[in-house]
Amino acid sequence: MTQSPNRGRRGLIVATAAGLAMPGLLRAQGAGPGAWPERPIRLIVPWPPGGSTDVVARIFQARLSEALGKPVIIDNRGGASGAIGGGEAARAAPDGYTWMLAYDTEATNQTVMRLPYKTLEALVPISLVATGPLALVAHQSTPYRSFADVVEAAKKAPDSINYATSGVGGLAHVATTLLQQRGGFSLTHVPYRGGGPAVSDAVAGHVPLFMSNVVIISQHMRNGILRPLGVTTRTASRHVPGAKSFAEQGVGDFEAPTWWMLMGRAGTPDAIQERMSTAIRQVLQDAEVRAKIEEQGADVVGSDPATARTFLTREIDKWGTVIQSANIKADT
């Protein structure tokens, strides 16, 4: 039976219309990474502007926007040692349009606070972006020339020396607590609402000691305002020339690296998670992005999701034990 020309044209029109409708159907169903993203993407930074997480995010922000083909907009949600931003990310729709650059407090907050979410249930690790040393620094006006000077002074007058961190229960606080336990001395903790405000007071000399990631204090160490006394990596770090690790200064096998991790909302389609993971890892391989992050005092990692999850699980367990033994509790 011969098909009429009109019927053939009608069939072609129907087939063409169906083909044109298919991309929209796929987008509506969220099928495949090609359907995403269609609009700007929000990147939550759970700390105020000027802190290390904000600095790292802004270094790769433009390149990530290029890789994804849509703007990546940073949303600073500071407060409660990262928990406010973490809660915002945990409440987001699992549609791939909200992500978070988590800081190391995302591990410690699980034990320090009563959070309305469980990190490994509400959020998914996408990539361990970078790690780096924490450094204990003294203001240039203080008499502390070495870590041994601090220990000696603190043993003579317990709790008489203040040290700043970016917040209660953060890794800097918990690591310094472990350092005191192992070293047999006692300092007084002065918590701030993020690294930006803390570094301002440290540079001004309002607090004699500051335990911080190197990203926000590197320039102040270079110009001599802040004097490094030790780093929390297992051995000396290339990012803090001349400073030994605390392990090398007699504090056993002490190790407490800081870190930054890209995370998404649990339930986000696997294809979207994979596309974001691939994009961020490609961006972190960019020579300029890598150089800028490492110039700040961090080592780029760019891991896959499985490695990131294993790392985060280990951090939650490790520091949870320290927090419980020291009975550290946040105010919130």
Side-chain angles (χ1 to χ4, degrees), residues 126-155:
I126 299 299
S127 180
L128 179 60
V129 171
T131 64
L134 293 172
L136 180 66
V137 295
H139 189 266
Q140 62 180 354
S141 65
T142 70
Y144 311 123
R145 302 285 170 177
S146 67
F147 175 56
D149 289 342
V150 173
V151 174
E152 181 181 3
K155 285 184 175 180

PDB file of all heavy atoms in Angstrom, residues 126-155:
ATOM      1  N   ILE A 126      31.066  16.066  47.464  1.00  0.00           N
ATOM      2  CA  ILE A 126      31.284  16.078  46.019  1.00  0.00           C
ATOM      3  C   ILE A 126      32.775  16.026  45.690  1.00  0.00           C
ATOM      4  O   ILE A 126      33.211  15.275  44.828  1.00  0.00           O
ATOM      5  CB  ILE A 126      30.654  17.333  45.385  1.00  0.00           C
ATOM      6  CG1 ILE A 126      29.132  17.338  45.620  1.00  0.00           C
ATOM      7  CG2 ILE A 126      30.962  17.411  43.893  1.00  0.00           C
ATOM      8  CD1 ILE A 126      28.396  16.160  45.021  1.00  0.00           C
ATOM      9  N   SER A 127      33.562  16.818  46.409  1.00  0.00           N
ATOM     10  CA  SER A 127      35.010  16.803  46.203  1.00  0.00           C
ATOM     11  C   SER A 127      35.712  17.472  47.375  1.00  0.00           C
ATOM     12  O   SER A 127      35.278  18.534  47.844  1.00  0.00           O
ATOM     13  CB  SER A 127      35.383  17.543  44.913  1.00  0.00           C
ATOM     14  OG  SER A 127      36.782  17.541  44.713  1.00  0.00           O
ATOM     15  N   LEU A 128      36.772  16.842  47.855  1.00  0.00           N
ATOM     16  CA  LEU A 128      37.663  17.487  48.825  1.00  0.00           C
ATOM     17  C   LEU A 128      38.503  18.460  48.017  1.00  0.00           C
ATOM     18  O   LEU A 128      39.347  18.063  47.219  1.00  0.00           O
ATOM     19  CB  LEU A 128      38.536  16.450  49.526  1.00  0.00           C
ATOM     20  CG  LEU A 128      39.542  16.990  50.558  1.00  0.00           C
ATOM     21  CD1 LEU A 128      38.838  17.729  51.691  1.00  0.00           C
ATOM     22  CD2 LEU A 128      40.391  15.842  51.111  1.00  0.00           C
ATOM     23  N   VAL A 129      38.239  19.749  48.198  1.00  0.00           N
ATOM     24  CA  VAL A 129      38.854  20.788  47.367  1.00  0.00           C
ATOM     25  C   VAL A 129      40.325  20.993  47.721  1.00  0.00           C
ATOM     26  O   VAL A 129      41.196  21.008  46.841  1.00  0.00           O
ATOM     27  CB  VAL A 129      38.073  22.108  47.507  1.00  0.00           C
ATOM     28  CG1 VAL A 129      38.815  23.265  46.836  1.00  0.00           C
ATOM     29  CG2 VAL A 129      36.677  21.961  46.894  1.00  0.00           C
ATOM     30  N   ALA A 130      40.606  21.157  49.007  1.00  0.00           N
ATOM     31  CA  ALA A 130      41.979  21.438  49.424  1.00  0.00           C
ATOM     32  C   ALA A 130      42.154  21.138  50.908  1.00  0.00           C
ATOM     33  O   ALA A 130      41.182  21.082  51.662  1.00  0.00           O
ATOM     34  CB  ALA A 130      42.326  22.904  49.143  1.00  0.00           C
ATOM     35  N   THR A 131      43.388  20.938  51.298  1.00  0.00           N
ATOM     36  CA  THR A 131      43.751  20.799  52.712  1.00  0.00           C
ATOM     37  C   THR A 131      44.928  21.730  52.983  1.00  0.00           C
ATOM     38  O   THR A 131      45.538  22.269  52.044  1.00  0.00           O
ATOM     39  CB  THR A 131      44.164  19.355  53.069  1.00  0.00           C
ATOM     40  OG1 THR A 131      45.359  19.028  52.339  1.00  0.00           O
ATOM     41  CG2 THR A 131      43.067  18.365  52.731  1.00  0.00           C
ATOM     42  N   GLY A 132      45.238  21.902  54.248  1.00  0.00           N
ATOM     43  CA  GLY A 132      46.361  22.766  54.575  1.00  0.00           C
ATOM     44  C   GLY A 132      46.658  22.743  56.059  1.00  0.00           C
ATOM     45  O   GLY A 132      45.916  22.143  56.845  1.00  0.00           O
ATOM     46  N   PRO A 133      47.710  23.397  56.468  1.00  0.00           N
ATOM     47  CA  PRO A 133      48.048  23.432  57.888  1.00  0.00           C
ATOM     48  C   PRO A 133      47.276  24.510  58.637  1.00  0.00           C
ATOM     49  O   PRO A 133      46.909  25.539  58.068  1.00  0.00           O
ATOM     50  CB  PRO A 133      49.540  23.771  57.879  1.00  0.00           C
ATOM     51  CG  PRO A 133      49.687  24.639  56.664  1.00  0.00           C
ATOM     52  CD  PRO A 133      48.726  24.065  55.641  1.00  0.00           C
ATOM     53  N   LEU A 134      47.017  24.259  59.902  1.00  0.00           N
ATOM     54  CA  LEU A 134      46.689  25.324  60.831  1.00  0.00           C
ATOM     55  C   LEU A 134      48.017  25.783  61.408  1.00  0.00           C
ATOM     56  O   LEU A 134      48.951  24.981  61.544  1.00  0.00           O
ATOM     57  CB  LEU A 134      45.796  24.819  61.964  1.00  0.00           C
ATOM     58  CG  LEU A 134      44.373  24.376  61.628  1.00  0.00           C
ATOM     59  CD1 LEU A 134      43.723  23.726  62.845  1.00  0.00           C
ATOM     60  CD2 LEU A 134      43.531  25.544  61.141  1.00  0.00           C
ATOM     61  N   ALA A 135      48.098  27.038  61.744  1.00  0.00           N
ATOM     62  CA  ALA A 135      49.328  27.553  62.351  1.00  0.00           C
ATOM     63  C   ALA A 135      48.988  28.328  63.610  1.00  0.00           C
ATOM     64  O   ALA A 135      48.027  29.101  63.636  1.00  0.00           O
ATOM     65  CB  ALA A 135      50.075  28.456  61.373  1.00  0.00           C
ATOM     66  N   LEU A 136      49.761  28.095  64.658  1.00  0.00           N
ATOM     67  CA  LEU A 136      49.655  28.911  65.865  1.00  0.00           C
ATOM     68  C   LEU A 136      50.627  30.064  65.687  1.00  0.00           C
ATOM     69  O   LEU A 136      51.827  29.848  65.478  1.00  0.00           O
ATOM     70  CB  LEU A 136      50.026  28.104  67.106  1.00  0.00           C
ATOM     71  CG  LEU A 136      49.942  28.874  68.437  1.00  0.00           C
ATOM     72  CD1 LEU A 136      48.501  29.267  68.758  1.00  0.00           C
ATOM     73  CD2 LEU A 136      50.528  28.039  69.580  1.00  0.00           C
ATOM     74  N   VAL A 137      50.077  31.284  65.721  1.00  0.00           N
ATOM     75  CA  VAL A 137      50.920  32.464  65.520  1.00  0.00           C
ATOM     76  C   VAL A 137      50.809  33.398  66.726  1.00  0.00           C
ATOM     77  O   VAL A 137      49.794  33.423  67.418  1.00  0.00           O
ATOM     78  CB  VAL A 137      50.535  33.233  64.239  1.00  0.00           C
ATOM     79  CG1 VAL A 137      50.798  32.384  63.009  1.00  0.00           C
ATOM     80  CG2 VAL A 137      49.064  33.670  64.273  1.00  0.00           C
ATOM     81  N   ALA A 138      51.882  34.159  66.948  1.00  0.00           N
ATOM     82  CA  ALA A 138      51.910  35.157  68.025  1.00  0.00           C
ATOM     83  C   ALA A 138      52.081  36.531  67.398  1.00  0.00           C
ATOM     84  O   ALA A 138      52.795  36.686  66.392  1.00  0.00           O
ATOM     85  CB  ALA A 138      53.061  34.874  68.976  1.00  0.00           C
ATOM     86  N   HIS A 139      51.450  37.535  67.976  1.00  0.00           N
ATOM     87  CA  HIS A 139      51.640  38.892  67.489  1.00  0.00           C
ATOM     88  C   HIS A 139      53.087  39.316  67.750  1.00  0.00           C
ATOM     89  O   HIS A 139      53.704  38.903  68.730  1.00  0.00           O
ATOM     90  CB  HIS A 139      50.677  39.857  68.180  1.00  0.00           C
ATOM     91  CG  HIS A 139      50.666  41.222  67.578  1.00  0.00           C
ATOM     92  ND1 HIS A 139      51.451  42.250  68.073  1.00  0.00           N
ATOM     93  CD2 HIS A 139      49.987  41.727  66.509  1.00  0.00           C
ATOM     94  CE1 HIS A 139      51.246  43.335  67.341  1.00  0.00           C
ATOM     95  NE2 HIS A 139      50.358  43.046  66.389  1.00  0.00           N
ATOM     96  N   GLN A 140      53.622  40.123  66.856  1.00  0.00           N
ATOM     97  CA  GLN A 140      55.026  40.531  66.949  1.00  0.00           C
ATOM     98  C   GLN A 140      55.370  41.258  68.256  1.00  0.00           C
ATOM     99  O   GLN A 140      56.536  41.266  68.679  1.00  0.00           O
ATOM    100  CB  GLN A 140      55.381  41.450  65.769  1.00  0.00           C
ATOM    101  CG  GLN A 140      54.581  42.739  65.730  1.00  0.00           C
ATOM    102  CD  GLN A 140      54.956  43.631  64.556  1.00  0.00           C
ATOM    103  OE1 GLN A 140      55.899  43.346  63.825  1.00  0.00           O
ATOM    104  NE2 GLN A 140      54.217  44.708  64.369  1.00  0.00           N
ATOM    105  N   SER A 141      54.362  41.821  68.901  1.00  0.00           N
ATOM    106  CA  SER A 141      54.622  42.566  70.142  1.00  0.00           C
ATOM    107  C   SER A 141      54.761  41.666  71.367  1.00  0.00           C
ATOM    108  O   SER A 141      55.179  42.120  72.431  1.00  0.00           O
ATOM    109  CB  SER A 141      53.486  43.569  70.387  1.00  0.00           C
ATOM    110  OG  SER A 141      52.262  42.886  70.631  1.00  0.00           O
ATOM    111  N   THR A 142      54.413  40.387  71.222  1.00  0.00           N
ATOM    112  CA  THR A 142      54.473  39.467  72.367  1.00  0.00           C
ATOM    113  C   THR A 142      55.900  38.948  72.565  1.00  0.00           C
ATOM    114  O   THR A 142      56.726  38.996  71.652  1.00  0.00           O
ATOM    115  CB  THR A 142      53.539  38.260  72.161  1.00  0.00           C
ATOM    116  OG1 THR A 142      54.075  37.431  71.113  1.00  0.00           O
ATOM    117  CG2 THR A 142      52.134  38.711  71.783  1.00  0.00           C
ATOM    118  N   PRO A 143      56.182  38.400  73.744  1.00  0.00           N
ATOM    119  CA  PRO A 143      57.521  37.848  73.999  1.00  0.00           C
ATOM    120  C   PRO A 143      57.693  36.417  73.494  1.00  0.00           C
ATOM    121  O   PRO A 143      58.766  35.836  73.655  1.00  0.00           O
ATOM    122  CB  PRO A 143      57.611  37.895  75.529  1.00  0.00           C
ATOM    123  CG  PRO A 143      56.199  37.716  75.987  1.00  0.00           C
ATOM    124  CD  PRO A 143      55.362  38.440  74.970  1.00  0.00           C
ATOM    125  N   TYR A 144      56.652  35.856  72.865  1.00  0.00           N
ATOM    126  CA  TYR A 144      56.697  34.452  72.485  1.00  0.00           C
ATOM    127  C   TYR A 144      57.426  34.277  71.147  1.00  0.00           C
ATOM    128  O   TYR A 144      56.926  34.645  70.086  1.00  0.00           O
ATOM    129  CB  TYR A 144      55.282  33.880  72.400  1.00  0.00           C
ATOM    130  CG  TYR A 144      54.453  34.215  73.613  1.00  0.00           C
ATOM    131  CD1 TYR A 144      53.243  34.896  73.485  1.00  0.00           C
ATOM    132  CD2 TYR A 144      54.900  33.883  74.899  1.00  0.00           C
ATOM    133  CE1 TYR A 144      52.493  35.227  74.600  1.00  0.00           C
ATOM    134  CE2 TYR A 144      54.151  34.208  76.022  1.00  0.00           C
ATOM    135  CZ  TYR A 144      52.951  34.888  75.866  1.00  0.00           C
ATOM    136  OH  TYR A 144      52.222  35.226  76.969  1.00  0.00           O
ATOM    137  N   ARG A 145      58.616  33.700  71.233  1.00  0.00           N
ATOM    138  CA  ARG A 145      59.445  33.468  70.050  1.00  0.00           C
ATOM    139  C   ARG A 145      59.331  32.029  69.558  1.00  0.00           C
ATOM    140  O   ARG A 145      59.779  31.718  68.455  1.00  0.00           O
ATOM    141  CB  ARG A 145      60.911  33.769  70.361  1.00  0.00           C
ATOM    142  CG  ARG A 145      61.165  35.191  70.839  1.00  0.00           C
ATOM    143  CD  ARG A 145      61.095  36.150  69.677  1.00  0.00           C
ATOM    144  NE  ARG A 145      61.103  37.545  70.122  1.00  0.00           N
ATOM    145  CZ  ARG A 145      61.105  38.585  69.296  1.00  0.00           C
ATOM    146  NH1 ARG A 145      61.098  38.379  67.986  1.00  0.00           N
ATOM    147  NH2 ARG A 145      61.104  39.821  69.769  1.00  0.00           N
ATOM    148  N   SER A 146      58.778  31.171  70.390  1.00  0.00           N
ATOM    149  CA  SER A 146      58.660  29.758  70.030  1.00  0.00           C
ATOM    150  C   SER A 146      57.456  29.157  70.747  1.00  0.00           C
ATOM    151  O   SER A 146      56.914  29.744  71.693  1.00  0.00           O
ATOM    152  CB  SER A 146      59.925  28.997  70.427  1.00  0.00           C
ATOM    153  OG  SER A 146      60.051  28.954  71.839  1.00  0.00           O
ATOM    154  N   PHE A 147      57.068  27.979  70.310  1.00  0.00           N
ATOM    155  CA  PHE A 147      55.992  27.247  70.979  1.00  0.00           C
ATOM    156  C   PHE A 147      56.396  26.916  72.405  1.00  0.00           C
ATOM    157  O   PHE A 147      55.579  26.983  73.327  1.00  0.00           O
ATOM    158  CB  PHE A 147      55.682  25.987  70.189  1.00  0.00           C
ATOM    159  CG  PHE A 147      54.667  25.079  70.833  1.00  0.00           C
ATOM    160  CD1 PHE A 147      53.399  25.540  71.170  1.00  0.00           C
ATOM    161  CD2 PHE A 147      54.984  23.760  71.115  1.00  0.00           C
ATOM    162  CE1 PHE A 147      52.462  24.699  71.768  1.00  0.00           C
ATOM    163  CE2 PHE A 147      54.055  22.909  71.704  1.00  0.00           C
ATOM    164  CZ  PHE A 147      52.798  23.381  72.046  1.00  0.00           C
ATOM    165  N   ALA A 148      57.675  26.608  72.601  1.00  0.00           N
ATOM    166  CA  ALA A 148      58.179  26.296  73.941  1.00  0.00           C
ATOM    167  C   ALA A 148      57.993  27.483  74.888  1.00  0.00           C
ATOM    168  O   ALA A 148      57.708  27.296  76.082  1.00  0.00           O
ATOM    169  CB  ALA A 148      59.649  25.896  73.871  1.00  0.00           C
ATOM    170  N   ASP A 149      58.124  28.704  74.380  1.00  0.00           N
ATOM    171  CA  ASP A 149      57.915  29.902  75.206  1.00  0.00           C
ATOM    172  C   ASP A 149      56.472  29.972  75.698  1.00  0.00           C
ATOM    173  O   ASP A 149      56.211  30.319  76.865  1.00  0.00           O
ATOM    174  CB  ASP A 149      58.225  31.171  74.404  1.00  0.00           C
ATOM    175  CG  ASP A 149      59.702  31.348  74.121  1.00  0.00           C
ATOM    176  OD1 ASP A 149      60.521  30.706  74.797  1.00  0.00           O
ATOM    177  OD2 ASP A 149      60.023  32.143  73.209  1.00  0.00           O
ATOM    178  N   VAL A 150      55.537  29.641  74.827  1.00  0.00           N
ATOM    179  CA  VAL A 150      54.117  29.663  75.194  1.00  0.00           C
ATOM    180  C   VAL A 150      53.838  28.613  76.263  1.00  0.00           C
ATOM    181  O   VAL A 150      53.168  28.883  77.269  1.00  0.00           O
ATOM    182  CB  VAL A 150      53.220  29.423  73.962  1.00  0.00           C
ATOM    183  CG1 VAL A 150      51.759  29.269  74.379  1.00  0.00           C
ATOM    184  CG2 VAL A 150      53.363  30.568  72.968  1.00  0.00           C
ATOM    185  N   VAL A 151      54.343  27.408  76.048  1.00  0.00           N
ATOM    186  CA  VAL A 151      54.123  26.321  77.002  1.00  0.00           C
ATOM    187  C   VAL A 151      54.681  26.685  78.374  1.00  0.00           C
ATOM    188  O   VAL A 151      54.019  26.498  79.407  1.00  0.00           O
ATOM    189  CB  VAL A 151      54.767  25.015  76.491  1.00  0.00           C
ATOM    190  CG1 VAL A 151      54.665  23.925  77.557  1.00  0.00           C
ATOM    191  CG2 VAL A 151      54.086  24.558  75.201  1.00  0.00           C
ATOM    192  N   GLU A 152      55.881  27.227  78.391  1.00  0.00           N
ATOM    193  CA  GLU A 152      56.516  27.597  79.663  1.00  0.00           C
ATOM    194  C   GLU A 152      55.706  28.666  80.398  1.00  0.00           C
ATOM    195  O   GLU A 152      55.445  28.550  81.599  1.00  0.00           O
ATOM    196  CB  GLU A 152      57.933  28.102  79.405  1.00  0.00           C
ATOM    197  CG  GLU A 152      58.694  28.495  80.665  1.00  0.00           C
ATOM    198  CD  GLU A 152      60.085  29.019  80.392  1.00  0.00           C
ATOM    199  OE1 GLU A 152      60.466  29.144  79.211  1.00  0.00           O
ATOM    200  OE2 GLU A 152      60.799  29.331  81.367  1.00  0.00           O
ATOM    201  N   ALA A 153      55.286  29.709  79.657  1.00  0.00           N
ATOM    202  CA  ALA A 153      54.522  30.792  80.275  1.00  0.00           C
ATOM    203  C   ALA A 153      53.167  30.303  80.759  1.00  0.00           C
ATOM    204  O   ALA A 153      52.691  30.697  81.839  1.00  0.00           O
ATOM    205  CB  ALA A 153      54.344  31.936  79.284  1.00  0.00           C
ATOM    206  N   ALA A 154      52.521  29.432  79.982  1.00  0.00           N
ATOM    207  CA  ALA A 154      51.196  28.919  80.348  1.00  0.00           C
ATOM    208  C   ALA A 154      51.267  27.988  81.551  1.00  0.00           C
ATOM    209  O   ALA A 154      50.328  27.943  82.356  1.00  0.00           O
ATOM    210  CB  ALA A 154      50.574  28.208  79.158  1.00  0.00           C
ATOM    211  N   LYS A 155      52.333  27.265  81.685  1.00  0.00           N
ATOM    212  CA  LYS A 155      52.480  26.379  82.850  1.00  0.00           C
ATOM    213  C   LYS A 155      52.726  27.188  84.122  1.00  0.00           C
ATOM    214  O   LYS A 155      52.275  26.805  85.205  1.00  0.00           O
ATOM    215  CB  LYS A 155      53.622  25.389  82.619  1.00  0.00           C
ATOM    216  CG  LYS A 155      53.269  24.269  81.647  1.00  0.00           C
ATOM    217  CD  LYS A 155      54.386  23.251  81.524  1.00  0.00           C
ATOM    218  CE  LYS A 155      53.978  22.082  80.643  1.00  0.00           C
ATOM    219  NZ  LYS A 155      55.062  21.066  80.512  1.00  0.00           N
TER     220      LYS A 155
END
